[in-house]
Amino acid sequence: MLSEIGGLSVTSQKSVLLIIGGGIAAYKCLELIRLLSKAGIKTRAILTKAAEQFVTPLSVAALIGEKVYTDLFSLTDEAEMGHIQLSRSTDLVVVAPATADLMAKMASGLATDLATTALLATDKPVMIAPAMNVRMWGHPATQRNLAQLKKDGVKVIGPDEGDMACGEYGPGRLSEPDAIAAKIIDFLKGTGNKPLTGKKMLVTAGPTHEPIDPVRYIANRSSGKQGYAIAEALAALGADVTLISGPTQLDVPGGVKRIDVESASDMLAATTLALPVDGAIFAAAVADWRVANSSDQKVKKKDGALPDLTLAENPDILATVSQLKSGRPELVVGFAAETQNIIENGSSKLVRKGCDWIVANDVSPDTGTFGGDRNSVHLITNDGVDSWPSQSKAEVSSQLAKQISEYFQGR
Ligand code: CTP
């Protein structure tokens, strides 16, 4: 909700051109417009013909307080505001829901209606929030179009994974309006104000894979989503971000330099190489143990005998960096993934590892945090504990990035 990200509200009036595509999720745009207007952002809207089947121009117009544009060849529109001006007199163009059809047209540069013409004519940044059936999303054509759009500099929000209106389950749901609003607000704030410009930040993310042999490994369920979102939020505030990532399915956020690693030892080596930095955020779910007697050859089954695996403790990357005698980053932030006594365990980790802040979160299975899109965290510092409301991982990241930028501004 925007009240939870109220601290991010935009002060000087910014504007968004919202292109509403024809998908069942189009109704969520009404809530998105409400959240943007609450943050002081002016919205203009274009509805595609298909979108009009799901949401009426009248309801959108009532919320934005001005007429909605639908027709490329309307003479009054052209007299009042042509499609070129419409696409340029804005700070950001947002397409939500971005249907498979709209994405395909954008990727090929087609201009067959007002929405696609405005998208081709704009000289402003473009964000899309895709929403479609899971199979349409996974289709090679859509994935090809997505890759092309990213190459063209289009920013992509979501889609989320979950139950779909068509009864199927998987990725393809439109991101929630509060998460889309948070990304838009962050971006618009960033366009005028990049408080972390000139600051070097390092973020670790994802799981680590500890090899047993060339084909098997020990791993954990971390998706990497929180760490990636933090890297993106820091970059949006102007930081020069290096993301050291264990194996994930995620795309590298725009403006972030990613270094891929597999094991905890690789992650420590890459982290050490990336120093010095001003701030380091350790969001990776590093495996606590590795197989000390891992094999260079595939371990074969022998008459039912079980392999004799010996575990050894992995280096603690957060503690190593926190306790550096020279070259320690000015701000070191760790995560504490806990299933019980969250604040107590998080506070003792702050002391034990020697970091400056701990973001403690509840990863009990019923919270859905691990692999999910939401997170409920407590920020523990030497000054006390600040418990944040449950919010999307994007919102947690924005709030953390904002707090980090305030820390550096206050120095
Ligand atoms: N961490 C790390 N290197 C490790 C283990 C953890 O850098 N080998 C970091 C994590 O990235 C996180 C913090 O330490 O920022 C705490 O991780 P967590 O898994 O919660 O704690 P552990 O140290 O593994 O302790 P435990 O498993 O006992 O809770």
Side-chain angles (χ1 to χ4, degrees):
M1 282 178 301
L2 209 82
S3 55
E4 294 168 9
I5 47 172
L8 290 177
S9 61
V10 173
T11 43
S12 63
Q13 174 129 77
K14 299 273 185 181
S15 72
V16 162
L17 174 65
L18 178 63
I19 296 180
I20 305 179
I24 188 82
Y27 75 92
K28 288 189 182 175
C29 282
L30 300 177
E31 175 65 0
L32 175 62
I33 293 169
R34 198 186 64 76
L35 292 170
L36 294 179
S37 124
K38 216 171 146 197
I41 296 167
K42 178 173 176 47
T43 307
R44 281 211 173 93
I46 293 179
L47 259 74
T48 65
K49 275 270 160 291
E52 287 183 57
Q53 302 296 318
F54 296 97
V55 58
T56 68
L58 196 60
S59 45
V60 177
L63 276 172
I64 62 175
E66 68 167 61
K67 70 166 291 185
V68 166
Y69 299 84
T70 52
D71 194 354
L72 180 59
F73 298 109
S74 153
L75 284 180
T76 15
D77 288 357
E78 288 295 321
E80 284 168 11
M81 177 176 284
H83 60 272
I84 305 278
Q85 199 192 341
L86 187 59
S87 71
R88 296 192 188 160
S89 59
T90 185
D91 295 295
L92 174 69
V93 180
V94 177
V95 186
T99 58
D101 177 64
L102 262 177
M103 285 175 63
K105 285 181 174 145
M106 286 173 76
S108 341
L110 291 176
T112 50
D113 59 4
L114 180 59
T116 47
T117 307
L119 281 160
L120 202 59
T122 190
D123 59 354
K124 294 296 185 295
V126 178
M127 262 184 195
I128 62 169
M132 66 197 71
N133 166 272
V134 56
R135 288 191 193 280
M136 290 169 79
W137 175 251
H139 194 284
T142 303
Q143 290 302 311
R144 226 170 24 239
N145 293 332
L146 176 70
Q148 183 59 54
L149 290 172
K150 283 185 178 170
K151 229 190 229 167
D152 295 344
V154 171
K155 290 164 198 23
V156 183
I157 309 170
D160 288 354
E161 191 170 319
D163 289 319
M164 319 213 67
C166 52
E168 290 184 77
Y169 182 93
R173 275 166 63 104
L174 183 72
S175 290
E176 290 305 319
D178 55 359
I180 302 177
K183 285 266 167 73
I184 293 174
I185 292 167
D186 256 12
F187 181 83
L188 291 177
K189 276 194 72 123
T191 54
N193 176 19
K194 293 195 182 275
L196 287 175
T197 302
K199 294 286 174 211
K200 285 183 82 174
M201 296 284 163
L202 178 153
V203 180
T204 68
T208 62
H209 286 182
E210 307 300 329
I212 295 171
D213 65 19
V215 295
R216 304 180 181 95
Y217 57 82
I218 299 176
N220 60 60
R221 295 183 199 282
S222 167
S223 64
K225 284 180 186 169
Q226 186 67 77
Y228 274 58
I230 292 168
E232 187 173 3
L234 291 169
L237 295 187
D240 172 2
V241 184
T242 301
L243 174 65
I244 299 179
S245 172
T248 71
Q249 299 294 316
L250 305 174
D251 293 322
V252 55
V256 168
K257 176 180 165 206
R258 184 174 73 182
I259 297 170
D260 293 317
V261 296
E262 294 254 327
S263 66
S265 311
D266 295 345
M267 190 173 271
L268 176 62
T271 299
T272 312
L273 264 179
L275 297 178
V277 294
D278 298 288
I281 296 90
F282 293 88
V286 183
D288 291 312
W289 305 284
R290 68 179 178 281
V291 180
N293 56 342
S294 63
S295 166
D296 291 342
Q297 301 298 329
K298 186 180 172 197
V299 177
K300 306 297 287 178
K301 285 197 291 277
K302 281 189 227 101
D303 302 331
L306 295 176
D308 182 18
L309 297 183
T310 310
L311 297 182
E313 197 161 331
N314 264 331
D316 190 313
I317 307 167
L318 170 62
T320 307
V321 172
S322 295
Q323 292 161 29
L324 281 175
K325 293 277 176 282
S326 78
R328 182 193 192 275
E330 193 175 322
L331 180 66
V332 180
V333 183
F335 268 73
E338 306 294 342
T339 54
Q340 55 185 347
N341 306 328
I342 322 274
I343 295 175
E344 203 181 314
N345 286 333
S347 304
S348 65
K349 254 173 213 173
L350 178 84
V351 176
R352 196 169 71 242
K353 304 214 180 197
C355 55
D356 304 303
W357 299 355
I358 280 276
V359 181
N361 61 344
D362 187 347
V363 291
S364 310
D366 56 341
T367 62
T369 303
F370 240 64
D373 292 312
R374 297 187 76 78
N375 209 349
S376 174
V377 308
H378 310 271
L379 181 66
I380 304 174
T381 68
N382 287 320
D383 297 333
V385 181
D386 192 7
S387 296
W388 298 353
S390 166
Q391 47 195 338
S392 70
K393 288 185 176 175
E395 286 164 337
V396 170
S397 308
S398 298
Q399 196 167 342
L400 184 64
K402 180 169 172 272
Q403 214 119 337
I404 290 172
S405 82
E406 281 169 4
Y407 167 86
F408 281 107
Q409 280 168 324
R411 302 295 285 179

